[in-house]
Every structure is written in structure tokens, then in C-alpha cells.
């Protein structure tokens, strides 16, 4: 491709997880490589993640941002790391829901009900996994898990793997966490608010922890992280803004309680959150 285009052409990939730097390594002019990640459906979703490689000329980033912005899109800048912003920060929405299901704390309809009705999310995690496709969602989780050197925060679930093995991909195959075949009866959730708020708090605090870690490691700035999650996956609130509203101390206390209970690194509290708790600071003024 490089040989077929002019020297000032931007060469971009729509990947959601592959290394942009690795792609640039094969170019004669790697300063024009860029990640430009649109979200499906691209005609409707406004968010676009822009990912410069370490070789990328800042002027190329500025040109791309101007061009994409002129098409009515909202851009955020992310560091070239696995999952960028959205596919990294969103992992606990699925992973912690699956863990709650695996432990028998609640079933899929109840978890989905809690996140929708109590948390304000447009879709619950199991509805969303079925909508995306369990094959796709599982592959993204597995890819991020391996790319982060098997960090337990991103560990895939055998429950979802078995659905993939059985080709129960979700809506597109007729079966997933739910049964979409003609005549199937939708299961009812257990509408226990105490249980529902416990589910919401657990998943939300894990999401906030991941967003805080992304900020701490300079994957993106505060505004871009919150913008990415509200416009890229339609979260009802930016996660860092949500942390301020809940209270940083309460988020840290919940994460610490989970860590004490499980003694798994999966539940380790981000150093930034702990420092902010100690200094009584918020993410926003």
C-alpha cells in the first residue's frame, strides 16, 4: 500500500487492539502510521479513537483529528496499548458480571436488570455480549488478557468460552446467554434492590478502577477517558465523574473489601485512587 500512495498520505488501521507501532515498523515512512478506531455502527457512533504510534509525526495526528472532526465525529487520543481506551476500560463490565454469574450470586437476567434499571446503562452486560456476539467479545477479552501478560484483571470466563464452543454466539445465532429462538420465553429477573445495588456497586467500582488505572498510566487524559466511555459504549456517566459523585473513599473501600475477600490481584486498587483518597481529592474540581 505504501508504494501505491503519495508520501503525505496517512496510513491508518481501524484495529481495536493491535500494535500500531508494530505496523509502522514495516513502513519506509513510519511517521505517517496511525490507529483510527471507529465504533460500530460507524455511521451512527460519533466516537473515534486516534492512536499515534511512537513513530507517528504529531502533525499527522493533528491532520487526522481535523479531518475526522470535519465529518461530525468526536475524537479522543489514546496511547498505543492493548484495547486503547474503550476496549480496555470496559472489560470489567463483562468480566465482573461473568464472575458474579459464575459464583451463583445472581443470574444473567438479574445482573442485566440491576445494571439497566439501577445503574442506568442502556443494556445489561449479558444482553450486550449477546448483541456483540460472544465469539467477538470473548476474543477481545482473550486478546487483551494475553497482551497484558495475563494480568488477572482481564481473565476470560470459561462460561463464555463454552458458549463460544457450542456456537451460542448470541442474537445472531439464536442462542447465547438468552434464547432468541421463536417461542422462547424470556426469563424474569429477581428484582431484589439490595442484591441489585450490590451487583451495581461491584461492577461499577471495578470499572472506575480500570478508568483510574488508564489515567494513572497516561493511556489518555481525564476528559478523553470519560468521553470515550459515554460516546463509545453509551455509559450513562463518565466513570471518573461517577467516582467523584460516589466518593473516592467509598470506591477504595469497596475494592479493598473485595481484595480482602478474594486475595486476588484482580481486585487490587489503583494507586491513583488510593493516593486521591488519602489527599481527599476528586478527579474534577
Amino acid at each position: 500500500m505504501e508504494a501505491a500512495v503519495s508520501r503525505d498520505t496517512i496510513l491508518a488501521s481501524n484495529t481495536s487492539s493491535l500494535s500500531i507501532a508494530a505496523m509502522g515498523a514495516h513502513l519506509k515512512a513510519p511517521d505517517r502510521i496511525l490507529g483510527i478506531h471507529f465504533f460500530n455502527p460507524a455511521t451512527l457512533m460519533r466516537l473515534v479513537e486516534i492512536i499515534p504510534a511512537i513513530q507517528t509525526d504529531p502533525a499527522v495526528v493533528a491532520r487526522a483529528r481535523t479531518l475526522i472532526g470535519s465529518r461530525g465525529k468526536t475524537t479522543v487520543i489514546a496511547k498505543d496499548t492493548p484495547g486503547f481506551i474503550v476496549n480496555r476500560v470496559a472489560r470489567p463490565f463483562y468480566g465482573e458480571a461473568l464472575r458474579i454469574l459464575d459464583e451463583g450470586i445472581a443470574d444473567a437476567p438479574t445482573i442485566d436488570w440491576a445494571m439497566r434499571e439501577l445503574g442506568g446503562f442502556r443494556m445489561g452486560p449479558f444482553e450486550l455480549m449477546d448483541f456483540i456476539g460472544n465469539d467477538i467479545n470473548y476474543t477481545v477479552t482473550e486478546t487483551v488478557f494475553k497482551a497484558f501478560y495475563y494480568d488477572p484483571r482481564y481473565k476470560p470466563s470459561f462460561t463464555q468460552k463454552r458458549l463460544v464452543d457450542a456456537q451460542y454466539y448470541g442474537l445472531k445465532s439464536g442462542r447465547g446467554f438468552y434464547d432468541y429462538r421463536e417461542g422462547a420465553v424470556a426469563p424474569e429477573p429477581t428484582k431484589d434492590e439490595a442484591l441489585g445495588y450490590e451487583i451495581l456497586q461491584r461492577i461499577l467500582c471495578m470499572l472506575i478502577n480500570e478508568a483510574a488505572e488508564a489515567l494513572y498510566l497516561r493511556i489518555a487524559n481525564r476528559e478523553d477517558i470519560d468521553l470515550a466511555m459515554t460516546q463509545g459504549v453509551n455509559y450513562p456517566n463518565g466513570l471518573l465523574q461517577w467516582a467523584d459523585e460516589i466518593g473516592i473513599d467509598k470506591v477504595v473501600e469497596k475494592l479493598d473489601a473485595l481484595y480482602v475477600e478474594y486475595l486476588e490481584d484482580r481486585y487490587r486498587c489503583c494507586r491513583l485512587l488510593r493516593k486521591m483518597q488519602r489527599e481527599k481529592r476528586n478527579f474534577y474540581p
Side-chain angles (χ1 to χ4, degrees):
M1 183 184 292
E2 187 176 25
V5 298
S6 64
R7 175 61 181 86
D8 63 349
T9 300
I10 297 171
L11 297 179
S13 169
N14 188 45
T15 181
S16 62
S17 58
L18 298 177
S19 167
I20 307 303
M23 296 180 195
H26 299 282
L27 299 177
K28 292 179 181 178
D31 59 336
R32 56 173 165 174
I33 191 67
L34 198 62
I36 299 180
H37 181 217
F38 289 82
F39 290 80
N40 286 323
T43 53
L44 298 178
M45 300 298 285
R46 290 185 58 194
L47 186 79
V48 179
E49 291 176 321
I50 296 180
I51 308 97
I54 57 174
Q55 308 100 310
T56 307
D57 185 336
V60 170
V61 178
R63 280 178 57 208
R65 199 165 199 181
T66 299
L67 177 62
I68 296 166
S70 71
R71 301 297 191 272
K73 299 294 186 182
T74 300
T75 59
V76 293
I77 303 293
K79 188 183 285 187
D80 184 15
T81 55
F84 311 136
I85 301 173
V86 173
N87 278 325
R88 173 187 181 148
V89 174
R91 300 281 33 102
F93 188 71
Y94 315 110
E96 203 56 30
L98 282 159
R99 184 66 178 264
I100 292 167
L101 176 70
D102 287 343
E103 293 180 9
I105 295 170
D107 59 15
T110 301
I111 297 167
D112 282 347
W113 165 79
M115 299 308 289
R116 276 196 328 270
E117 301 302 321
L118 304 180
F121 290 85
R122 290 191 184 182
M123 297 179 78
F126 297 99
E127 293 170 316
L128 187 52
M129 284 185 277
D130 274 358
F131 181 78
I132 294 168
N134 284 298
D135 51 338
I136 295 170
N137 187 265
Y138 178 84
T139 298
V140 172
T141 298
E142 187 178 49
T143 301
V144 171
F145 180 54
K146 290 177 179 178
F148 275 102
Y149 308 109
Y150 301 94
D151 188 321
R153 288 182 302 166
Y154 310 114
K155 186 176 180 180
S157 164
F158 279 118
T159 297
Q160 190 176 33
K161 178 64 165 65
R162 293 298 171 256
L163 289 179
V164 175
D165 291 343
Q167 299 184 1
Y168 287 8
Y169 300 140
L171 190 61
K172 64 186 177 185
S173 68
R175 295 185 73 177
F177 288 102
Y178 296 101
D179 190 341
Y180 301 94
R181 294 172 298 177
E182 187 176 350
V185 178
E188 290 294 322
T190 301
K191 296 183 179 181
D192 179 333
E193 287 205 356
L195 173 61
Y197 277 113
E198 175 59 28
I199 291 166
L200 172 62
Q201 184 185 41
R202 179 167 167 172
I203 295 174
L204 182 55
C205 285
M206 291 292 281
L207 284 166
I208 289 169
N209 196 43
E210 197 61 45
E213 187 80 0
L215 179 63
Y216 179 59
L217 296 177
R218 299 186 297 167
I219 305 305
N221 64 37
R222 173 187 66 187
E223 290 79 11
D224 278 3
I225 291 170
D226 276 356
L227 189 61
M229 302 314 290
T230 53
Q231 294 206 13
V233 277
N234 291 316
Y235 282 11
N237 201 351
L239 292 169
L240 301 176
Q241 180 68 50
W242 216 336
D244 285 352
E245 293 172 8
I246 294 170
I248 303 295
D249 55 339
K250 291 182 179 177
V251 175
V252 172
E253 286 169 10
K254 180 61 178 177
L255 291 167
D256 283 349
L258 288 167
Y259 185 82
V260 168
E261 178 69 22
Y262 289 96
L263 294 179
E264 294 180 34
D265 270 358
R266 174 189 187 89
Y267 298 108
R268 66 186 187 272
C269 179
C270 173
R271 182 176 182 272
L272 177 60
L273 284 174
R274 200 173 297 286
K275 188 171 186 286
M276 291 175 69
Q277 179 199 37
R278 187 168 59 248
E279 296 173 354
K280 302 186 184 307
R281 288 192 294 119
N282 288 331
F283 286 106
Y284 291 89

